[in-house]
Amino acid sequence: MSDASRAGAPTANAPSGPQPRDLPAAPRPAASPDRTIHMIGNAHLDCVWLWPWQEGYQEARATFWSAIQRMDEYPDFVFTCDQMVLLSWVEESDPELFERIRERVAEGRWVNAGGWWVEPDCNMPMGESFARQGLYGQRYLQSRFGRMAEVGMNVDPFGHNVMIPQILRQQRMDSYMFLRPGRQELDFDDTLFWWESPDGSRVLGYRIPFEYGSPPGDIVGQTEKSLGMLDRSLGQMMVFYGVGNHGGGPTRANIESIHRYDRMGSFGRMKMSSPREYFDEMLARGPRFLDALTVRRDDLQHHAPGCYSSHSGIKAWQRRAQFAVLSAERWAAVSALHDGIEYPRGELENAWKQILFNQFHDILPGSAIEPSYDDARDQLGEATAIAKRIIAKAHNVLARQVDIPIDVGTHPVLVFNPHPWPVSPDVELQFGNEPTGVHVTDAEGTTIVSQISQSTATTDDRSRGAIVFRADVPAFGYRLYRLRSGQARVDPPSRPLAVTESLLENEHLRIEIDPETGWISSLVDKATGVDVLAGTRGQPHTQICDDPTDTWGHRVVSYAWPGAEMTLDRIVVRETGPLRSRVRIERSWGASTLVEELVLSHDSRVLRVNATLDWREKAHLLKLRFPTALESPTATYEVPFGVLERPVDGAEEPAQAWVDLTGEVAGRSAGLTVIANGKHGWDASPGKSASIGITAVRSPVYSWHDPRLLDPEGIYSFQDQGIQRFSYELVPHAGDYRAAQPARRAAELGSSVRAMLESFHPGELPTSMSFADDGGSGVLVTAIKGSEDNSAEAGGADLIIRAVETRGEHVRAVIDVPLVGRVVEADFSPYRIRTFRVPRSGPIEELDLLELPLEAAADEQPPLNEENE
């Protein structure tokens, strides 16, 4: 039980326990070690883990009261706090406590670090989510306390992506503290080092030597174990103490023991301190010391790789919510700047905070107790619902302004594209009251390639159905189409689709399906003539095996284990026509089934697969494997805001949405990119057939943490029982994955266009319109939104645009923004993130990730690595 739990919440005038006392200087023996140990009092709080968020809410208040009481009792005590959501909870539930915290912040003894809304999983969220962690966290600190965090702090997450240094630097933090992975899990031993992103941005990294928290009593064990892991060349170190996880913070016994050992000189000088004070002392040592530090230019892995595939539901809900709110921001900006409708800043902030909270490192990784996922589902559903309401409103406001003359026998359809580049998807639309069927034309009356598909409704109404048609929609905009009664008379494509139970073929791809295994045995890119799957017939596509690992996958190196193949039940040609073909492959194993529908459009260079998995196995996992014919391949993984090359060694690795293998087939350069939505555990494996693997499902017991052994007679709840749906794409290429633009394809896979039935009416807008276009180059626009600060622009918001270079090139980007009649031209160095305020008139201004001018940030941060500028 924490001190706070014992003491309750006393008033400021009546603190319990020992009263403040002056601490006389304690002369240490001359034989004391000549070093300073910065004692960092903190209370890492798991907002959700083995308890629901409501319990975390209460424990934040109790823990913070405890910290305030210790400050009343010990004038030298300093407390370090991170995760701004905890402060926001206290602000709304206990104003008296919050005011006491404000006083201690002003005094300098309550130190806010981290600057992010929570300590999230640091691999699976999108790049924009990391931008918003700091946007809302740092702005919260500035608005409540007049100062932001300067030190990044993620002590408990299980791995850290390589783009974090750039993100931190653009959020006004110059250093970073973390615990995991430990020395036994990582390939270097340094406690203090430079951590550098691919763009050259650096932060001073500190790996906590032992643990971020301590037991409530004497701190001798914490200190000795930390010293045992210290890089002794540093001479100084930070030791974190205080009861953590469920909270409590530093206790009287902790603090009294620090004073005792400092007086004895047992470990050197023991100083109540803050991370900022420690890092400042390290930076003050000057260039010779700093230049000698190791430079890490990689991500920080691996701890608990199984968390990237635990609980498929939370991964899918998160991905859907992130895409929905990013889209809502874009359309809300159009409503504000085009139509003068107030930008819904508060609604979007609420939605983002629900998303950010559920990226917490024991929610998104699937490691929390089962009931917490009811809350996560509801909170992420709220975020998605907010986004959908904003989108529907914006689309209807625009739709009523489009000039749509009456055309008897037609029904107008507007297709909206949320992406800042043109897209050409196959759009599925339900229709009714059309007994003779329908076909599709564009606004000028030209017939569009389409075909009838199966309706989502199963009724006796023969006039209802579904149609699939090709829509060519401009960048971040809309286009008008019309449903017309009756079947269309169209000439067949010059190279029509071919489809059988063993073949899918169009003008670009030839795909052969092995009738014995039900998987692809040949994938020929007709542009090069290379079969990237040549010779892989008989190689497994599905691998099911026992999974004895715990929920986190502690100590897992690889899940690329041999396993049983699912039984092929049947292959069925589900759909064929001038637009697309669809082949259904059904498999089973035990009580589980897997249906994969291979979809090939008439002009597509990509094979889409829609999967429905009904999983009924316990303590097992399913790998989907994609064997290739590639020799000596390299593997590239998508990470937040970037890419990273990793070894082809079968290791279980996190990825955003895609992994690529590039090598040679019969001496010719070739490659295969696999793109998936909502799946984050991947491997690139060597062997006779180098392959990409996706951990499609794992079913461990909820919140099972080794070394606890499961009782063979025990009754447990296992994860991921039931139906889940996801999609993936296979993209062959000629040896340069960048030409296939996988980041854009992944965005289209995760966030589709929206088709909306409309009515006839006059209007001032044309039948097709674009609001922003990033040019489709290596510079990818990731955010289009209204500013966080009110402005004189219509709707109370300036336009904010963020983009990142994705190909590792120096390039000049031209971003056309018809929404405000401006063009943004800017030079991007490799993997650089840049943010711009784009008003209707006046200068375009570059901002940091907090949407504040770069000049202000530059005064407060060490310079970037000049070699990379």
Side-chain angles (χ1 to χ4, degrees), residues 722-783:
I723 293 175
Q724 58 171 286
R725 295 178 175 87
F726 57 95
S727 297
Y728 62 87
E729 292 183 341
L730 304 183
V731 189
H733 58 79
D736 184 352
Y737 73 87
R738 298 173 300 178
Q741 298 193 323
R744 295 179 188 272
R745 294 212 61 90
E748 294 175 33
L749 184 64
S751 183
S752 59
V753 300
R754 177 172 181 260
M756 172 179 145
L757 294 170
E758 185 49 27
S759 58
F760 304 119
H761 45 68
E764 298 180 352
L765 295 183
T767 57
S768 180
M769 192 171 184
S770 171
F771 299 104
D773 189 339
D774 67 9
S777 67
V779 173
L780 175 70
V781 166
T782 60

Side-chain angles (χ1 to χ4, degrees), residues 527-584:
T528 63
V530 173
D531 182 357
V532 74
L533 304 187
T536 63
R537 183 184 298 272
Q539 295 292 314
H541 170 55
T542 56
Q543 293 174 292
I544 295 179
C545 55
D546 291 335
D547 178 14
T549 65
D550 68 2
T551 316
W552 286 258
H554 283 117
R555 283 166 284 284
V556 165
V557 175
S558 173
Y559 281 126
W561 300 333
E565 292 185 59
M566 300 186 82
T567 300
L568 174 64
D569 295 325
R570 67 170 182 161
I571 304 175
V572 178
V573 175
R574 175 85 186 278
E575 185 177 347
T576 185
L579 178 61
R580 71 180 189 186
S581 293
R582 185 158 47 138
V583 174
R584 179 183 177 91

Side-chain angles (χ1 to χ4, degrees), residues 205-264:
Y206 184 86
R207 177 168 47 195
I208 298 170
F210 175 55
E211 287 285 353
Y212 51 71
S214 68
D218 194 303
I219 52 80
V220 64
Q222 185 78 0
T223 305
E224 288 181 340
K225 290 179 180 178
S226 297
L227 282 168
M229 298 182 180
L230 173 68
D231 177 356
R232 294 185 179 275
S233 67
L234 297 175
Q236 300 190 42
M237 69 182 298
M238 288 188 282
V239 171
F240 286 67
Y241 72 97
V243 181
N245 285 351
H246 196 261
T251 65
R252 298 185 188 105
N254 288 161
I255 297 169
E256 293 285 352
S257 68
I258 292 171
H259 290 155
R260 181 168 65 255
Y261 292 118
D262 178 52
R263 182 172 61 252
M264 294 168 61

Side-chain angles (χ1 to χ4, degrees), residues 3-78:
D3 285 355
S5 298
R6 288 192 294 267
T11 66
N13 295 323
S16 65
Q19 299 302 302
R21 58 187 176 86
D22 292 330
L23 299 174
R28 303 174 191 88
S32 298
D34 184 17
R35 63 179 171 228
T36 299
I37 300 179
H38 294 256
M39 303 302 296
I40 309 299
N42 77 110
H44 173 71
L45 273 165
D46 282 330
C47 307
V48 177
W49 182 27
L50 307 181
W51 44 85
W53 71 265
Q54 294 91 337
E55 195 168 319
Y57 190 108
Q58 183 278 330
E59 188 56 43
R61 178 171 52 82
T63 297
F64 288 178
W65 264 121
S66 180
I68 290 296
Q69 292 163 23
R70 301 296 82 75
M71 290 181 180
D72 291 340
E73 296 161 2
Y74 301 98
D76 63 335
F77 173 61
V78 178

Side-chain angles (χ1 to χ4, degrees), residues 91-341:
E91 181 183 20
E92 68 184 10
S93 66
D94 195 336
E96 177 188 359
L97 172 58
F98 194 74
E99 188 56 36
R100 293 290 304 277
I101 293 171
R102 286 168 57 93
E103 293 170 359
R104 293 305 189 183
V105 170
E107 183 185 5
R109 293 174 59 202
W110 184 293
V111 177
N112 290 314
W116 286 4
W117 198 243
V118 298
E119 289 191 13
D121 175 86
C122 291
N123 283 305
M124 289 182 280
M126 297 179 189
E128 280 299 322
S129 286
F130 290 99
R132 309 317 165 89
Q133 287 283 357
L135 178 73
Y136 291 115
Q138 290 284 57
R139 280 177 167 261
Y140 179 86
L141 289 177
Q142 182 65 38
S143 65
R144 270 59 168 190
F145 304 103
R147 64 183 71 170
M148 298 181 186
E150 298 176 345
V151 176
M153 182 173 178
N154 279 313
V155 300
D156 207 19
F158 313 138
H160 311 261
N161 78 80
V162 72
M163 297 297 282
I164 286 177
Q166 182 181 179
I167 293 166
L168 291 173
R169 290 299 303 272
Q170 291 205 33
Q171 293 171 344
R172 308 193 175 196
M173 291 177 273
D174 62 7
S175 42
Y176 190 62
M177 303 176 296
F178 68 100
L179 174 68
R180 300 186 180 91
R183 293 176 70 176
Q184 77 280 9
E185 298 168 315
L186 199 56
D187 57 357
F188 76 109
D189 296 330
D190 302 85
T191 302
L192 187 72
F193 60 97
W194 289 112
W195 189 20
E196 184 175 300
S197 287
D199 77 307
S201 300
R202 284 184 178 182
V203 294
L204 199 54
Y206 184 86
R207 177 168 47 195
I208 298 170
F210 175 55
E211 287 285 353
Y212 51 71
S214 68
D218 194 303
I219 52 80
V220 64
Q222 185 78 0
T223 305
E224 288 181 340
K225 290 179 180 178
S226 297
L227 282 168
M229 298 182 180
L230 173 68
D231 177 356
R232 294 185 179 275
S233 67
L234 297 175
Q236 300 190 42
M237 69 182 298
M238 288 188 282
V239 171
F240 286 67
Y241 72 97
V243 181
N245 285 351
H246 196 261
T251 65
R252 298 185 188 105
N254 288 161
I255 297 169
E256 293 285 352
S257 68
I258 292 171
H259 290 155
R260 181 168 65 255
Y261 292 118
D262 178 52
R263 182 172 61 252
M264 294 168 61
S266 304
F267 308 111
R269 296 172 294 277
M270 302 188 78
K271 178 180 183 180
M272 300 286 192
S273 187
S274 70
R276 179 72 272 165
E277 188 171 357
Y278 170 80
F279 282 117
D280 282 346
E281 289 191 13
M282 295 295 101
L283 292 167
R285 292 188 176 185
R288 179 173 296 181
F289 170 78
L290 296 173
D291 290 348
L293 293 176
T294 299
V295 180
R296 177 82 182 189
R297 296 183 175 91
D298 200 352
D299 53 5
L300 303 175
Q301 314 293 359
H302 302 89
H303 180 87
C307 69
Y308 305 123
S309 48
S310 292
H311 202 294
S312 297
I314 187 64
K315 274 71 168 175
W317 305 334
Q318 259 289 342
R319 204 73 177 175
R320 179 180 63 186
Q322 289 174 84
F323 273 125
V325 178
L326 285 169
S327 182
E329 284 180 335
R330 296 173 183 185
W331 292 113
V334 171
S335 289
L337 294 162
H338 184 270
D339 303 306
I341 295 173

